Amino acid sequence: MRETAVAYARGVVGALIVGMPTLLTMEMWWGGFTIPPARILLLLGVNAGVLALLQHYSGLHPAKTPAGQLRSAIVALGIAIVVSTVMLLMLGVLRGDTVLRDAVAKVALQSVPLSIGASIASTHFDAHHAETESRRESGLFFQSLAMGVGGAMVLGFTVAATEEPMIVGEQLTWTQAVAIALASAVLVFGISYAIGKRRLKMDPFSRK
C-alpha cells in the first residue's frame, strides 16, 4: 500500500513537472473548443499506445506483467485527468459557465502531456528497478523509436500548441527552412552517435 501511494505521488509530481508549461499555455485552452473532437480522440489513441510502452520501460510501478502495465497506464491517465481538472479549475480556465463539451475537451487535451509525465515519474526521481533498467537497456530499434515518439510529444507540446511556430513558418524562406532542417538532422545524428557509441556500440538493432 505504501509503495503504491508513493508511486501515485511520484506520478502527480511528474505530471506537474512535464505538464505545467502546457497548463499555462493559452493556445492549449483554446484547443479544447477549436480542435475537432475526432482529432482529440485520435491523439488520445496515440497517447494510449505511448503510455503502454512507457509502462514497460519506466512507468509508475516496478511490476511489469501485462496486467500490471495496463493498470499503470490507466492510472497514469487517471492521474493526468485529475491533475488537469484541478489545475484548470485553480487557474480559472474551467468555470461554472464553461460548456461541458469544452471542459471535457480541454481536460482531455491537457491530459496527454501530463499522463506522459506521470508515466516517466520513476525515471525522474531515480526510482529505478533492476528489471526496468534491463528492459530499457535491451530495447531494439523500433521500441526505441516508439519511446522517441513519447519524448517528442513531451517536448513538442510546449511549442506545437502555440501560435509562434506557424508565424515563423510563414516568415521563413525556402533557404532558411532547408538550413534549419539540415541543422536539426546534424544535431539528431550527433546525439544518436554519442548515445550509440556509449551504450549500443553503434548497432541499434543488437541487444546489449
Side-chain angles (χ1 to χ4, degrees), residues 130-198:
E131 183 181 358
T132 302
E133 188 69 16
S134 175
R135 287 173 185 268
R136 288 206 305 269
E137 292 287 342
S138 62
L140 298 178
F141 175 76
F142 291 107
Q143 287 90 335
S144 299
L145 183 63
M147 291 180 67
V149 172
M153 290 175 68
V154 169
L155 298 176
F157 254 96
T158 59
V159 294
T162 62
E163 190 176 359
E164 286 75 7
M166 292 184 288
I167 297 175
V168 171
E170 293 174 353
Q171 296 175 347
L172 287 179
T173 65
W174 279 104
T175 303
Q176 291 171 320
V178 171
I180 291 174
L182 290 175
S184 299
V186 170
L187 286 173
V188 170
F189 177 79
I191 294 171
S192 300
Y193 180 87
I195 294 176
K197 185 176 181 180
R198 179 168 57 90

Side-chain angles (χ1 to χ4, degrees), residues 11-59:
V12 171
V13 175
L16 286 173
I17 289 176
V18 173
M20 187 57 72
T22 60
L23 286 168
L24 297 175
T25 300
M26 185 165 51
E27 288 86 350
M28 285 287 287
W29 307 341
W30 294 345
F33 56 85
T34 58
I35 300 176
R39 293 191 179 185
I40 295 180
L41 286 174
L42 177 60
L43 178 62
L44 290 175
V46 173
N47 186 58
V50 172
L51 289 180
L53 183 71
L54 289 176
Q55 302 311 315
H56 182 78
Y57 287 104
S58 178

